[in-house]
Amino acid sequence: MRNFHVTTVWGIPIRVNISLLVFLPVLAWLIGSGSQIELYAGLVGGLAGTTLDLARLQAGSTPWLVGTLAAVGLFVSVTLHELGHAWAAMRYDLEVESITLWILGGLASFKQMPREWNREFWIAVAGPITSILVGVVCYAGLLALPASATVTLFVVGWLAVTNVFLAVFNMLPAFPMDGGRVLRALLARSRPYASATRIAARIGTAFAVLFAVVGALSFSPLLLLLALFIYAAATGESRTVALSDLLDGLTVGDVARPAALTIEAEASVEDLVDRMFADRSTEFTVTQGGEVVGVVTVADFHALSQAERSSDTVADLMETDLPRLAADLSAFDALVELDTSRASAALVEGPDGVHVVSREDFSSAMEMRRLVGTGDPF
C-alpha cells in the first residue's frame, strides 16, 4: 500500500501508510465514544488527583475533539517508540532506512539486523523504554495541569496510560514484536542464531493463534489483523534467517554457473526447441556477437501462440531485463535482489566473463550446504 513522506528525523524518513489515514477517523471515533470516555475519565482523574467533569467531556463536539487529539497523540507516541529503536540502532552504527506508521502501529526498517545478541536486545528494548519515558512525561504533565483544563487533562492522562500499555504489550514474547526479539536475543546467547529464531518464531506463531482466537470471539478485526501480521512476519523471518545461514560465506559468483548452454539471439524458435530436446535442458543463455544478452526458458516458449512459434526468433522471447550483479556480491544479497526484481535469473559479471544464476542454482547451493553441513562444498 502507498506511503506518504511526512518528515525526516536524524536523516530517517518518517512515512505514513494510507491504512493509517483511513483508520485515524475510526480511532478518533472509538476513543471519543461515550463508553471510552467514561471508562478512562475515572482512571485519569485518579492519576491526576481530581475528578474530571464527565458532562463537559461528553458535551457537543467535545468527544470528537478528545478522540482526534488522543488518536494523533497515540501515533506521535508510536513514532517516538520507533525512534527509540532507531536511536539504539544508530548507536551501533546501523543504518535505519525508514520509519513507517500504519494501522497496527509503527515499523522501523533497518538495512541489516544485527546478529549479536546484546545489540538486538538493546535495540529491541529501546522502544518500550521510550514508551515508558513518554508515559512518565505525560504523567508529570498531568500533575502540572490545572483541574479546569478538563479536555487536556483527559488526553494527557489517556496518553500516559496508553504509552505504558504500549510498552507492556510490545514486550509480549510474540516474535517479531519487541518482546519476541528480546526472547531471540536471550536465546542466541547459548545457541545458534537460526535455532534461536526458529524457537522465537514458533512462540510467535502460538501467540498469533491465541490472538486470532480471542479476536474471533471478541469480534475484534484489529486483533485478527495483528494475528495475521505476527504469523506472516514470524514465519517469514524464520525462513529468511534459515536462507541466510545456508548461503553464509558464499558469493553469487560461487553459486552462478558458466554459460555452457548458449544459443544465438537470431536463432529460430524451432532451433531452440531442437536444442532443448538434444541437450535435455529447459534453459539457455542467449548470446549476441559473443556477449551474453539474456536468458530463455521453456516457460517463455509456452507463452507463444502457434503462429509466433513459427515466425519468432529467440531474441523475441528471451528475457533481457535481467539484473546484473558483481561476482563478489554475497549470495544472500543476490537472492534478495532476484526476488526484489522478480526476475527468473540474473547475469553475474566476474573476471572470467559473464555467468548466469537462477533460482534453481540457489536452491541447489542451499541443498548442497544442507547435506554437507557447514563446510564449503564450493
Side-chain angles (χ1 to χ4, degrees):
M1 285 190 278
R2 188 174 179 184
N3 297 322
F4 300 92
H5 180 266
V6 176
T7 186
T8 300
V9 179
W10 304 331
I12 305 167
I14 311 295
R15 297 167 182 159
V16 173
N17 185 267
I18 193 170
S19 65
L20 176 59
L21 298 179
V22 173
F23 178 62
L24 266 179
V26 178
L27 181 60
W29 175 80
L30 289 172
I31 297 171
S33 65
S35 58
Q36 289 293 308
I37 289 180
E38 288 180 16
L39 176 65
Y40 283 98
L43 179 59
V44 172
L47 290 173
T50 186
T51 301
L52 297 186
D53 187 348
L54 195 57
R56 184 176 176 184
L57 287 171
Q58 294 177 324
S61 60
T62 304
W64 270 107
L65 176 63
V66 168
T68 301
L69 291 174
V72 172
L74 172 61
F75 278 93
V76 170
S77 300
V78 170
T79 305
L80 294 174
H81 177 104
E82 298 302 324
L83 284 171
H85 291 307
W87 178 83
M90 292 166 68
R91 297 277 294 178
Y92 291 117
D93 296 323
L94 297 173
E95 183 179 343
V96 185
E97 295 182 325
S98 65
I99 291 174
T100 303
L101 304 177
W102 67 308
I103 189 171
L104 289 180
L107 291 170
S109 299
F110 303 101
K111 189 168 186 180
Q112 185 176 9
M113 283 297 295
R115 290 201 168 200
E116 299 86 355
W117 77 267
N118 57 325
R119 292 189 175 194
E120 180 167 34
F121 176 86
W122 287 113
I123 292 172
V125 299
I129 289 173
T130 302
S131 293
I132 292 290
L133 292 175
V134 172
V136 170
V137 170
C138 288
Y139 178 66
L142 185 66
L143 297 178
L145 287 167
S148 58
T150 307
V151 172
T152 308
L153 275 172
F154 181 88
V155 173
V156 172
W158 185 88
L159 288 173
V161 174
T162 303
N163 271 280
V164 173
F165 173 79
L166 181 66
V168 173
F169 182 76
N170 268 279
M171 284 304 293
L172 289 175
F175 188 82
M177 290 168 56
D178 296 338
R181 292 195 179 278
V182 168
L183 173 63
R184 176 171 68 177
L186 295 176
L187 289 171
R189 294 182 66 182
S190 57
R191 66 190 73 226
Y193 188 77
S195 175
T197 301
R198 280 195 298 273
I199 295 171
R202 286 171 187 157
I203 295 173
T205 302
F207 269 96
V209 173
L210 176 62
F211 290 156
V213 171
V214 174
L217 294 176
S218 61
F219 303 103
S220 172
L222 275 181
L223 208 51
L224 290 171
L225 186 59
L226 179 63
L228 286 173
F229 167 73
I230 290 175
Y231 180 82
T235 53
E237 181 137 359
S238 184
R239 288 195 197 98
T240 299
V241 170
L243 290 176
S244 178
D245 265 23
L246 286 171
L247 294 173
D248 185 44
L250 293 179
T251 66
V252 67
D254 295 325
V255 179
R257 52 188 161 75
L261 295 176
T262 63
I263 189 168
E264 284 293 321
E266 293 77 18
S268 66
V269 173
E270 290 181 354
D271 291 336
L272 171 65
V273 175
D274 290 340
R275 286 288 308 279
M276 284 181 172
F277 277 109
D279 295 320
R280 295 178 178 83
S281 177
T282 59
E283 182 177 286
F284 284 85
T285 302
V286 183
T287 58
Q288 192 169 40
E291 294 290 326
V292 175
V293 292
V295 171
V296 64
T297 68
V298 70
D300 301 317
F301 167 74
H302 284 155
L304 295 178
S305 67
Q306 199 65 41
E308 290 171 326
R309 291 179 185 182
S310 60
S311 60
D312 286 1
T313 63
V314 170
D316 296 322
L317 70 151
M318 68 179 180
E319 293 181 66
T320 57
D321 54 344
L322 301 177
R324 285 185 173 267
L325 310 174
D328 59 355
L329 180 68
S330 77
F332 180 74
D333 288 341
L335 182 57
V336 171
E337 178 66 27
L338 207 59
D339 283 339
T340 302
S341 60
R342 297 182 180 180
S344 62
L347 303 181
V348 180
E349 299 176 335
D352 55 344
V354 178
H355 293 187
V356 177
V357 66
S358 66
R359 296 177 191 276
E360 289 73 19
D361 296 318
F362 284 106
S363 298
S364 298
M366 288 186 285
E367 181 63 14
M368 181 69 74
R369 270 291 179 87
R370 189 185 67 81
L371 290 171
V372 302
T374 57
D376 187 0
F378 297 89

